Amino acid sequence: MHEALEALFLGVVEGLTEFIPVSSTGHLLLIGHFIGFESAGNTFAVMVQLGAVLAVLSIYAGRLWNVMRAAPHDPEARRFVWTVLVAFAPAVVIGVMAHDIIKTVLFETPRLIAMMLILGGVVLLFVDRLAIAPKHDDAMRLPIWTALRIGVIQCLAMIPGVSRSGATIVGALALGCSKRAAAEFSFFLSMPTMLGAFTYDFWKNRDVLDAEQFGLIGLGFVAAFVSGLCVVRWLLGFVARRGYAAFGWWRIIVGTIAMIWLTFG
């Protein structure tokens, strides 16, 4: 029962933090470290993310279905599909090559995670204050080259604490996307990225997952889906009005508290 409650709590944290630029994986790993939550092969922190991604898919299902239906005869629809796939491609290459190092070294280094939270917060504050005139207001009409560069930047998030959404949003803002378009493209890119991470991690750890582990992942999955729904609906309006500074400060505060706890706790 104790582990089940921890899994539910961590699932809620995942859903609340997956799409805001604060590093859901960093939060899960740090909280898991401090409360003593363990999962075989560190699979929980990766596989539970699919719940949050399905929350995005459910919200954008209508638009995505229309795109897929139109793709065979509509060049604009095909172009959007290609931009997402091109942006996803770097994560496939780097993720497969670096998977073992990420899971056995980086995931096991809480001080690194805390440092990345602080550093990422500083970067987010800096980029949010830049007076960059947006060149791209529609996340579904980004140039292919812009999408590829966002995808390369996304790979930085394989270091836990960097934040996948944070990396893609900062990259998109720096490349001339509006704040809303940056958040939306991050949503779209999360779908193949997290599905790919889930599938590959499941395959790599299939021999160490048992019924208990699947049960905990399932609880976290459901909690992440429900909390993710709330965040996605709220986030776009928030960033359009207020930008990303609040998330930068949140990262710095959480990272600093974690570093102090790791040093003196």
Side-chain angles (χ1 to χ4, degrees), residues 61-194:
R63 286 174 66 179
L64 293 174
W65 176 245
N66 289 336
V67 168
M68 298 309 295
R69 288 180 59 191
H73 53 80
D74 184 349
E76 283 294 314
R78 285 198 301 274
R79 186 170 170 278
F80 167 67
V81 173
W82 275 113
T83 59
V84 174
L85 292 178
V86 165
F88 169 52
V92 175
V93 177
I94 302 299
V96 171
M97 292 175 59
H99 178 271
D100 291 344
I101 294 175
I102 293 168
K103 295 296 291 293
T104 60
V105 178
L106 301 183
F107 271 40
E108 301 288 351
T109 314
R111 287 183 186 276
L112 173 65
I113 298 170
M115 289 174 59
M116 289 299 102
L117 284 173
I118 296 169
L119 179 60
V122 173
V123 172
L124 196 59
L125 288 173
F126 175 76
V127 173
D128 190 59
R129 293 177 182 178
L130 289 179
I132 302 175
K135 295 181 293 184
H136 312 296
D137 292 318
D138 189 343
M140 301 185 77
R141 294 185 176 181
L142 295 186
I144 294 288
W145 178 235
T146 299
L148 176 60
R149 286 184 286 176
I150 293 172
V152 171
I153 295 169
Q154 176 182 237
C155 294
L156 293 173
M158 293 179 190
I159 304 172
V162 170
S163 170
R164 187 208 61 80
S165 59
T168 54
I169 287 170
V170 166
L173 290 174
L175 292 170
C177 295
S178 67
K179 292 176 179 179
R180 184 182 181 91
E184 278 203 315
F185 191 74
S186 179
F187 292 164
F188 294 137
L189 185 53
S190 74
M191 297 179 200
T193 301
M194 292 298 98

